[in-house]
Amino acid sequence: MDIITSTEDLCPDSKTIQENILFDIIKEVCGNQNCVLSPKLAGKVRRIIADSDLSHYSSLHKLSTADESTSTLLGLMHKTDAELTFDEQAELNQAIINKIQNKIPILASELDKLKQNIGSGKKTRKNEIKGLQESLDDKLNTLKEQENEKVELMVEWLNHRLQEVSSFSNNSTALGIEWAPLHLPLARRLQTLAATTWICLILFGEAFCIFIYVQILYSSYWWLALLYGAWLLNDLDVCNRGGRIVEWVRNWSLWRYYRDYFPINLVKTAELDTSKNYLFACFPHGVVCSGAFGAFATNALDFYKVFPGMTCNMITLGGHFRVPLFRELVLALGSCASSQESLLYLLDKNKNRGKCVVLFVGGAAEALDSHPGEYKVILSRRKGFVRVAMKSGAPLVPVFSFGETDVYRPLNNSEDSLLRKFQEKVRQITGISPVFPIGRGVFQYSFGVLPLRSPITTVVGVPMEIEKNLDPTDEEVDAVHAEFTRRLIDLFESEKSKYLTDHKNTHLVIT
């Protein structure tokens, strides 16, 4: 093996280790017990140890040999002045060697034990790793089995749901129910929502508002309900004095979605003079005036752009203006009461200019004759509107909504049927016709109270000039009525080919 003659041949860590080992051996050799050195040499080495820190590099040179040509076990450091003679150094070296030789079997035994411990430790670690690997594999297999069970249960559940859906679909088909598709554009869903909101206001709005008012009246805010009630009593006549239009309400986006649901269109055939007021005689009433509501009670069809400089008021039953809360919505949409006082006020040139007053001549009674593909209007026995036009001098304008009767499918109620007699009786008592409309639902197309998606086109005809007559005779009223009837028929016949599919077999029936 290579001989190390200087500590510079060692790396710093190895050098430090060897110095520490050497220092321990020297202290054992010259120890008080079992000292193998001569008393003189042992005393000298002890003095050197006492005077110097032999664990440090700079002190070990004191134990080096005086003969620089001889390599000794203590000749590891740079040679300087020595305190031991050569013989003393030789004796010390021999003692050190003997000590090292005595330690070799012990060190070898300890080394073997250490190797055995390391080997057994490696084997133990291998066994532990193997055990952990097997445990992990077992857990992974368990998780896989659980996931497979979950997947199987999910597939089984889905199969049951599919069977139920298939069974439901078959039952729906057998019952004649056509369901709406699941995937529809958002715009169409909003249109359906708007139509649903509108029909709910028509059918249930009054009852809901009465309920809310009663709830407020019997709550801690009863004083607010009383104040509103007192104000309502003082404001009852506003429906006969021109109403109270709120353009913000007429401009709601809700009405535009409602317009696009059918869709509804507004067509004019002649210009209107903004210095005059006009009485729009609108036909047919239909079940709930779907087309005329969108055209004249809202700004969804841009009435102000179609007829620049004109404003419109829709006429409805006076009872609506006595329902708390609900009346505010009706007034905001521009509606007024169906009384002669209200009509004459709106058509008076001294009070208003550029007014279009929309009146449904047939009224609620005409709703009973609303059937798809049929146009049957009540006009022969309705002459009051002509008398109002003559007293005010306002031109009469025929207005016809094509497609109005196609948005609902009422029950068959011939004039001699028990259902028709019941409907007429209820109308006479309440002023409202119980039509029992059959339309569609929110999620299916087969039945419900929503109107059907059928286009409606409201056509405004050419104005019929009326000479003002404050006290017209029956003959004069009949003459004007006959002329208006002729103009209404002409409007229907001239326009029906544009908006009706089976226009050749569709005729206007006037009763």
Side-chain angles (χ1 to χ4, degrees):
M1 61 183 297
D2 295 336
I3 299 174
I4 299 176
T5 60
S6 175
T7 56
E8 293 180 359
D9 295 333
L10 301 173
C11 66
D13 291 341
S14 299
K15 181 172 65 177
T16 300
I17 293 172
Q18 291 196 16
E19 287 175 354
N20 292 334
I21 294 173
L22 180 61
F23 177 61
D24 291 339
I25 293 174
I26 291 174
K27 288 195 294 183
E28 291 181 7
V29 168
C30 64
N32 291 328
Q33 298 178 354
N34 302 323
C35 181
V36 296
L37 300 178
S38 62
K40 182 180 179 180
L41 177 59
K44 186 181 289 188
V45 172
R46 291 193 187 100
R47 285 195 300 272
I48 293 173
I49 293 174
D51 294 339
S52 304
D53 182 9
L54 294 183
S55 64
H56 192 270
Y57 164 82
S58 61
S59 300
L60 288 177
H61 72 278
K62 294 181 180 181
L63 295 175
S64 61
T65 179
D67 188 355
E68 297 182 358
S69 63
T70 305
S71 296
T72 66
L73 291 176
L74 294 181
L76 298 174
M77 316 306 296
H78 293 291
K79 305 300 183 293
T80 59
D81 294 337
E83 295 184 6
L84 299 180
T85 63
F86 180 82
D87 293 336
E88 292 174 339
Q89 182 64 53
E91 182 182 354
L92 177 62
N93 285 350
Q94 185 61 43
I96 291 173
I97 291 172
N98 293 334
K99 195 68 175 178
I100 291 175
Q101 288 178 345
N102 293 333
K103 284 181 174 290
I104 286 176
I106 299 173
L107 293 175
S109 175
E110 292 180 353
L111 181 61
D112 290 339
K113 290 180 180 179
L114 180 61
K115 288 182 179 180
Q116 292 176 359
N117 291 334
I118 293 174
S120 61
K122 290 182 178 180
K123 185 175 181 181
T124 303
R125 289 295 301 274
K126 286 182 179 180
N127 293 334
E128 291 178 356
I129 293 173
K130 184 177 180 180
L132 289 174
Q133 185 67 40
E134 292 177 352
S135 176
L136 182 60
D137 291 340
D138 292 339
K139 291 181 178 179
L140 289 175
N141 293 331
T142 303
L143 289 175
K144 288 180 180 179
E145 292 176 357
Q146 292 176 352
E147 290 299 323
N148 291 334
E149 290 178 359
K150 290 180 181 178
V151 171
E152 291 176 358
L153 290 174
M154 182 63 70
V155 171
E156 184 178 356
W157 181 85
L158 288 175
N159 289 332
H160 284 304
R161 298 292 82 79
L162 290 174
Q163 291 177 2
E164 291 177 359
V165 170
S166 178
S167 176
F168 179 76
S169 177
N170 294 334
N171 294 334
S172 299
T173 303
L175 294 173
I177 300 176
E178 181 184 359
W179 293 94
L182 293 176
H183 304 289
L184 287 174
L186 178 61
R188 283 182 65 89
R189 296 186 183 277
L190 292 175
Q191 292 165 14
T192 303
L193 177 62
T196 304
T197 304
W198 170 76
I199 196 61
C200 287
L201 286 173
I202 297 296
L203 298 179
F204 315 113
E206 292 186 353
F208 179 75
C209 288
I210 292 173
F211 173 77
I212 293 297
Y213 181 76
V214 171
Q215 290 295 315
I216 296 174
L217 185 62
Y218 285 93
S219 69
S220 58
Y221 296 98
W222 57 269
W223 54 271
L224 187 61
L226 290 180
L227 287 176
Y228 175 76
W231 176 82
L232 185 152
L233 293 175
N234 186 60
D235 191 57
L236 279 178
D237 199 45
V238 70
C239 59
N240 295 316
R241 311 295 293 177
R244 186 168 52 238
I245 295 179
V246 180
E247 293 297 332
W248 173 72
V249 177
R250 290 172 61 95
N251 286 323
W252 282 352
S253 299
L254 173 74
W255 309 129
R256 298 194 179 275
Y257 285 112
Y258 167 79
R259 171 201 65 192
D260 296 336
Y261 174 82
F262 295 92
I264 305 172
N265 294 296
L266 177 63
V267 177
K268 71 174 181 180
T269 59
E271 297 294 339
L272 300 181
D273 187 354
T274 57
S275 64
K276 298 180 180 180
N277 298 319
Y278 296 87
L279 180 57
F280 283 15
C282 195
F283 301 88
H285 181 281
V287 175
V288 281
C289 313
S290 307
F293 176 86
F296 303 122
T298 74
N299 294 334
L301 278 81
D302 298 321
F303 177 87
Y304 298 146
K305 294 181 180 179
V306 177
F307 298 101
M310 305 298 294
T311 60
C312 62
N313 293 86
M314 196 169 176
I315 304 302
T316 186
L317 294 175
H320 296 317
F321 302 96
R322 284 159 175 74
V323 180
L325 302 179
F326 185 79
R327 69 188 298 270
E328 309 307 329
L329 175 61
V330 178
L331 286 169
L333 292 172
S335 298
C336 292
S338 57
S339 63
Q340 182 172 265
E341 178 188 359
S342 174
L343 293 172
L344 291 176
Y345 182 93
L346 292 169
L347 296 172
D348 189 350
K349 286 186 178 181
N350 296 324
K351 297 182 176 66
N352 302 292
R353 293 292 177 92
K355 279 285 185 181
C356 298
V357 183
V358 182
L359 175 66
F360 290 92
V361 176
E366 196 173 81
L368 301 177
D369 291 319
S370 179
H371 296 279
E374 299 179 7
Y375 291 92
K376 187 176 182 180
V377 300
I378 299 175
L379 179 58
S380 298
R381 61 182 184 271
R382 299 295 175 92
K383 299 179 181 180
F385 75 100
V386 175
R387 193 176 298 275
V388 169
M390 295 178 71
K391 286 183 178 182
S392 63
L396 276 172
V397 181
V399 180
F400 205 94
S401 295
F402 294 92
E404 181 67 48
T405 59
D406 295 330
V407 297
Y408 280 107
R409 304 184 297 268
L411 299 174
N412 185 14
N413 59 341
S414 57
E415 294 186 1
D416 57 346
S417 64
L418 291 175
L419 176 60
R420 184 59 172 268
K421 293 178 182 179
F422 169 77
Q423 291 173 325
E424 289 287 357
K425 192 66 174 178
V426 174
R427 185 187 64 80
Q428 292 173 6
I429 297 174
T430 64
I432 301 175
S433 297
V435 181
F436 308 114
I438 300 175
R440 53 157 290 190
V442 177
F443 304 109
Q444 45 79 27
Y445 301 138
S446 301
F447 60 89
V449 295
L450 266 68
L452 303 176
R453 283 184 181 267
S454 181
I456 304 173
T457 304
T458 300
V459 181
V460 179
V462 179
M464 173 183 170
E465 296 297 330
I466 302 294
E467 184 179 352
K468 187 172 182 178
N469 187 346
L470 296 178
D471 189 19
T473 63
D474 292 342
E475 290 76 13
E476 290 172 335
V477 171
D478 290 341
V480 175
H481 184 273
E483 176 62 19
F484 177 81
T485 301
R486 185 187 65 81
R487 288 176 177 249
L488 179 65
I489 295 173
D490 290 344
L491 175 65
F492 179 83
E493 294 296 332
S494 62
E495 299 291 330
K496 69 177 183 179
S497 60
K498 302 176 184 177
Y499 311 112
L500 300 180
T501 303
D502 191 19
H503 60 87
K504 293 182 179 180
N505 298 321
T506 306
H507 304 283
L508 180 62
V509 179
I510 298 177
T511 60

